[in-house]
Amino acid sequence: MALDDSVLLRTEGRAGYITLNRPRALNALTHAMIRTIDAALAQWEQDESVAVVVISGAGERGLCAGGDIRAIHADALAGGNASFAFWRDEYRLNARIARYSKPYVALMDGIVMGGGVGVSAHGGVRIVTERSAVAMPETGIGFVPDVGGTHLLAQAPGELGTHLALTGTAVGAADAMLCGLADHFVPSSRLAELTASLAGLDDVAEAVALYAQAAPEGELARHREWIDECYAAGTVEEILDRLLDYGDPAAKEAAETIVTRSPTSLKVTLAALRRARRLGALEPVLDQEYRVSCAALSSPDLVEGVRAQVIDKDRRPRWSPAELSAVTDADVDRFFAPLGDDELRASSTSTR
């Protein structure tokens, strides 16, 4: 099944194991990797000898830092559209994972960001460790949370998801669980034992229970009051005003982070989250995210954001427009425009 060695596939006992194998690139997802994972899941779903699927990342740094953003940057810079095909297959894979008929165990150890969230947080059994750093940091590169991220964050309690989406803040195990991005905490030192045990046990919940523990205390629970009050505002400008006026140092810090992000991405992200709440189910949200991502490819902020954060690493993006006040409703609406025959239609394709 594997197209190359960037994804390692094996079966042992009753388990099918997927290992993302680009450790030097923090297991960033290429199009070939997406296709390999999708093909493996399709085959194993029909294989009665496979009762559970486990996904993990090679190396010590994390499960997956996201999609191959350098390839997307090059595509955008060239005025191409190869990224459309990548996102189409990636989002369909996210939908397949969400409705997979067998237990899908994601080991969310270390860095889990962007596309890494897409191949893990839609699964049925999501395990974090003391090393987990889970984030949707897209506004920092002139993009918008995708891979079903707006669906996940829209379902988080109160306005926690809005806070994470606009700031791009990475959270640890307890906060990931609080936000509905993960289910169980297992110390990283016991992941190998858990992984091996899944090959021989029919009851996945029983196996996980043997290793799961209470997660170390998180950060977000004690900030719920200002998060829920400030991020309930209807516009990004009003959210910033509330954060700055609240009087809590953590709220001021959040505001200071937000103002460094792409103004266009911030406004589109807030609109996407609010729309995702109304849409409810994952598949229509993925359809919406596909529209947004395709529009973002021609946005100057995506090229500039990736340049500043990933290519040149000067951390000084020059956003266009540079101010929130210059981003109009029409600018935002452009990201949600229907694509006609090119729509994703995730609900009709995720069970291929």
Side-chain angles (χ1 to χ4, degrees), residues 79-166:
N81 59 11
S83 298
F84 295 175
F86 170 77
W87 287 322
R88 181 177 293 274
D89 286 344
E90 184 180 27
Y91 300 171
R92 288 174 175 175
L93 172 62
N94 301 146
R96 181 189 292 281
I97 291 168
R99 58 156 55 115
Y100 204 60
S101 63
K102 296 179 179 181
Y104 180 96
V105 180
L107 304 183
M108 301 170 69
D109 185 34
I111 292 174
V112 184
M113 297 184 178
V117 173
V119 296
S120 60
H122 296 299
V125 183
R126 305 162 303 174
I127 295 169
V128 281
T129 76
E130 77 284 355
R131 303 189 300 195
S132 294
V134 184
M136 296 298 295
E138 286 77 8
T139 58
I141 58 167
F143 197 45
V144 177
D146 65 335
V147 298
T150 58
H151 169 76
L152 293 165
L153 295 176
Q155 303 300 315
E159 295 294 336
L160 291 175
T162 312
H163 171 63
L164 297 186
L166 296 185

Side-chain angles (χ1 to χ4, degrees), residues 19-346:
T19 304
L20 308 183
N21 189 40
R22 296 182 70 211
R24 293 179 63 184
L26 243 171
N27 300 318
L29 296 166
T30 65
H31 201 167
M33 293 170 72
I34 293 294
R35 292 196 297 261
T36 298
I37 297 166
D38 189 71
L41 292 179
Q43 178 173 321
W44 286 342
E45 193 160 29
Q46 303 303 317
D47 186 343
E48 294 184 359
S49 69
V50 176
V52 57
V53 172
V54 184
I55 188 167
S56 62
E60 297 296 320
R61 297 169 64 198
L63 171 66
C64 174
D68 188 347
I69 200 67
R70 288 177 178 270
I72 293 172
H73 176 265
D75 189 32
L77 201 60
N81 59 11
S83 298
F84 295 175
F86 170 77
W87 287 322
R88 181 177 293 274
D89 286 344
E90 184 180 27
Y91 300 171
R92 288 174 175 175
L93 172 62
N94 301 146
R96 181 189 292 281
I97 291 168
R99 58 156 55 115
Y100 204 60
S101 63
K102 296 179 179 181
Y104 180 96
V105 180
L107 304 183
M108 301 170 69
D109 185 34
I111 292 174
V112 184
M113 297 184 178
V117 173
V119 296
S120 60
H122 296 299
V125 183
R126 305 162 303 174
I127 295 169
V128 281
T129 76
E130 77 284 355
R131 303 189 300 195
S132 294
V134 184
M136 296 298 295
E138 286 77 8
T139 58
I141 58 167
F143 197 45
V144 177
D146 65 335
V147 298
T150 58
H151 169 76
L152 293 165
L153 295 176
Q155 303 300 315
E159 295 294 336
L160 291 175
T162 312
H163 171 63
L164 297 186
L166 296 185
T167 63
T169 299
V171 296
D175 289 334
M177 293 166 68
L178 173 63
C179 292
L181 302 173
D183 306 301
H184 308 281
F185 173 81
V186 175
S188 59
S189 61
R190 306 208 68 189
L191 285 182
E193 296 174 68
L194 168 61
T195 302
S197 74
L198 292 170
L201 293 177
D202 290 330
D203 191 329
V204 172
E206 180 180 322
V208 172
L210 293 174
Y211 298 93
Q213 300 179 11
E217 185 178 358
E219 298 284 334
L220 291 180
R222 63 175 178 269
H223 296 305
R224 280 292 302 277
E225 184 175 339
W226 66 259
I227 287 175
D228 289 350
E229 180 174 332
C230 296
Y231 288 98
T235 67
V236 178
E237 291 93 333
E238 187 178 354
I239 288 171
L240 282 171
D241 287 342
R242 291 189 185 186
L243 289 169
L244 290 169
D245 292 343
Y246 196 83
D248 188 305
K252 183 174 183 291
E253 183 179 342
E256 291 171 347
T257 297
I258 290 172
V259 297
T260 68
R261 306 317 195 201
S262 158
T264 300
S265 294
L266 290 169
K267 287 200 170 184
V268 175
T269 294
L270 184 62
L273 285 170
R274 299 295 190 252
R275 291 174 181 231
R277 283 181 179 171
R278 295 193 295 270
L279 289 170
L282 172 62
E283 287 85 357
V285 176
L286 286 168
D287 291 343
Q288 172 177 276
E289 290 180 351
Y290 185 70
R291 294 176 179 178
V292 171
S293 296
C294 290
L297 193 67
S298 60
S299 167
D301 279 2
L302 178 58
V303 169
E304 174 60 12
V306 177
R307 180 207 64 77
Q309 301 296 341
V310 180
I311 307 297
D312 297 338
K313 299 182 180 179
D314 59 27
R315 309 289 192 260
R316 297 176 62 184
R318 297 179 290 275
W319 305 123
S320 179
E323 303 294 335
L324 284 165
S325 59
V327 182
T328 67
D329 290 344
D331 293 332
V332 174
D333 290 343
R334 178 182 75 84
F335 285 78
F336 298 92
L339 298 175
D341 292 341
D342 295 325
E343 295 282 5
L344 178 65
R345 298 182 180 87

